[in-house]
Amino acid sequence: MQGLNHTSVSEFILVGFSAFPHLQLMLFLLFLLMYLFTLLGNLLIMATVWSERSLHMPMYLFLCALSITEILYTVAIIPRMLADLLSTQRSIAFLACASQMFFSFSFGFTHSFLLTVMGYDRYVAICHPLRYNVLMSLRGCTCRVGCSWAGGLVMGMVVTSAIFHLAFCGHKEIHHFFCHVPPLLKLACGDDVLVVAKGVGLVCITALLGCFLLILLSYAFIVAAILKIPSAEGRNKAFSTCASHLTVVVVHYGFASVIYLKPKGPQSPEGDTLMGITYTVLTPFLSPIIFSLRNKELKVAMKKTCFTKLFPQNC
């Protein structure tokens, strides 16, 4: 990156939760438990889908890919945050900061693209059930997952390159618990900072809003198709296949809007840090809970998998 040659800053200081010194141990324990649960929940989903042949279908292939992105997204942010909660040395090297931003944005946007693909999968399943096997073939599903990952990596590269091509003029303190765009922009100097800030904001909001609108369009067709089903039992069964995905979409975009669509105006760095928890810690924590509780097939398969592992002699 050219920006590496023009900066006088070789490292940054992640201020994180230092404004709450008396809460750091409690926050460490809370975030550690949530992080471990996130990892175990997603690994359990992946193991269940892998071991249960009845779940070898596109919807659960996408769910496995989603679990992988959530694991990688949290790995990019949370271990560093946990270490800083127990340390007085919160410095992070310039390249390490750029890498963290790249991976967090890449996996975050891959998550959004996969949710969009899952919405299309539910649209095809309900609105075109007779063509489902053709439209959602293994090759097609693999291609969609690959495109989601490629799109996420491109977004991560675009955002990270734009931010780290800026010059940083000696200020080191990032008022956040990871290398996020807004606090880093406050440390940059030069005539192009405002242009980069608006450009990055436009790219991120356009990508997220585009995914959200495509999901809304899918569900508009889904709702119209469900309302045409004559029996209440049929309507409930059709809607139940979408419930977990729809709930995760609401949580994902609800918390994302807190980060990207918050009103302009004076806001404390501590407030921004606390809001960041909703998207980086809480959303990945809730996602496996929602999918395991709201998806009946997955819930039954997970119970069967756990029972088989714990009591193999009874199987």
Side-chain angles (χ1 to χ4, degrees), residues 14-314:
L14 291 169
V15 175
F17 300 95
S18 58
F20 313 101
H22 302 298
L23 297 177
Q24 291 196 39
L25 181 58
M26 185 187 72
L27 290 174
F28 171 81
L29 294 173
L30 175 62
F31 294 154
L32 176 62
L33 290 174
M34 293 176 72
Y35 177 55
L36 292 176
F37 184 89
T38 300
L39 292 180
L40 291 173
N42 282 299
L43 288 172
L44 180 58
I45 288 174
M46 292 164 59
T48 301
V49 174
W50 179 266
S51 60
E52 281 296 318
R53 295 189 62 84
S54 62
L55 299 182
H56 291 181
M57 57 182 69
M59 178 171 65
Y60 296 106
L61 168 66
F62 297 139
L63 182 54
C64 274
L66 197 71
S67 293
I68 293 172
T69 60
E70 287 195 336
I71 289 174
L72 294 175
Y73 176 77
T74 54
V75 165
I77 297 175
I78 298 181
R80 172 76 205 204
M81 180 186 71
L82 292 173
D84 286 343
L85 280 169
L86 297 181
S87 174
T88 56
Q89 299 293 327
R90 300 186 179 91
S91 62
I92 181 170
F94 192 87
L95 280 175
C97 188
S99 298
Q100 187 185 59
M101 177 178 289
F102 169 72
F103 288 119
S104 62
F105 268 86
S106 295
F107 300 136
F109 276 103
T110 300
H111 191 276
S112 295
F113 297 148
L114 285 171
L115 285 176
T116 307
V117 170
M118 292 174 76
Y120 176 73
D121 171 74
R122 292 298 84 206
Y123 158 75
V124 174
I126 292 175
C127 299
H128 302 284
L130 298 179
R131 300 180 62 198
Y132 183 81
N133 291 333
V134 175
L135 295 175
M136 303 303 294
S137 64
L138 179 60
R139 182 178 179 181
C141 292
T142 304
C143 181
R144 291 181 182 96
V145 171
C147 289
S148 298
W149 276 87
L153 292 173
V154 169
M155 289 296 298
M157 183 60 70
V158 168
V159 172
T160 306
S161 298
I163 296 300
F164 284 90
H165 268 74
L166 295 171
F168 297 92
C169 305
H171 300 289
K172 292 186 176 183
E173 291 191 346
I174 299 175
H175 288 274
H176 215 289
F177 54 84
F178 76 106
C179 293
H180 195 36
V181 170
L184 269 168
L185 284 172
K186 292 178 182 178
L187 306 183
C189 56
D191 298 331
D192 54 348
V193 174
L194 185 60
V195 174
V196 170
K198 289 184 176 180
V200 168
L202 182 62
V203 168
C204 292
I205 291 174
T206 300
L208 288 172
L209 194 58
C211 290
F212 184 63
L213 291 176
L214 287 173
I215 294 172
L216 281 183
L217 183 62
S218 296
Y219 275 99
F221 287 114
I222 287 171
V223 170
I226 289 176
L227 292 177
K228 294 178 182 178
I229 299 175
S231 67
E233 182 181 355
R235 290 193 295 270
N236 290 334
K237 185 177 180 180
F239 182 76
S240 66
T241 65
C242 307
S244 57
H245 174 257
L246 186 57
T247 306
V248 169
V249 166
V250 171
V251 171
H252 177 80
Y253 284 98
F255 287 143
S257 65
V258 170
I259 304 298
Y260 292 103
L261 301 179
K262 61 184 178 182
K264 301 292 183 181
Q267 296 186 10
S268 68
E270 293 81 9
D272 290 340
T273 300
L274 292 175
M275 281 197 298
I277 295 171
T278 61
Y279 192 66
T280 56
V281 181
L282 190 57
T283 300
F285 170 76
L286 292 175
S287 185
I289 297 176
I290 294 169
F291 276 115
S292 59
L293 293 181
R294 299 286 294 177
N295 188 300
K296 186 176 180 181
E297 285 182 327
L298 182 61
K299 182 164 61 174
V300 171
M302 288 175 74
K303 288 180 180 178
K304 180 181 176 182
T305 301
C306 291
F307 185 81
T308 302
K309 298 296 183 183
L310 293 174
F311 308 103
Q313 67 277 8
N314 295 330

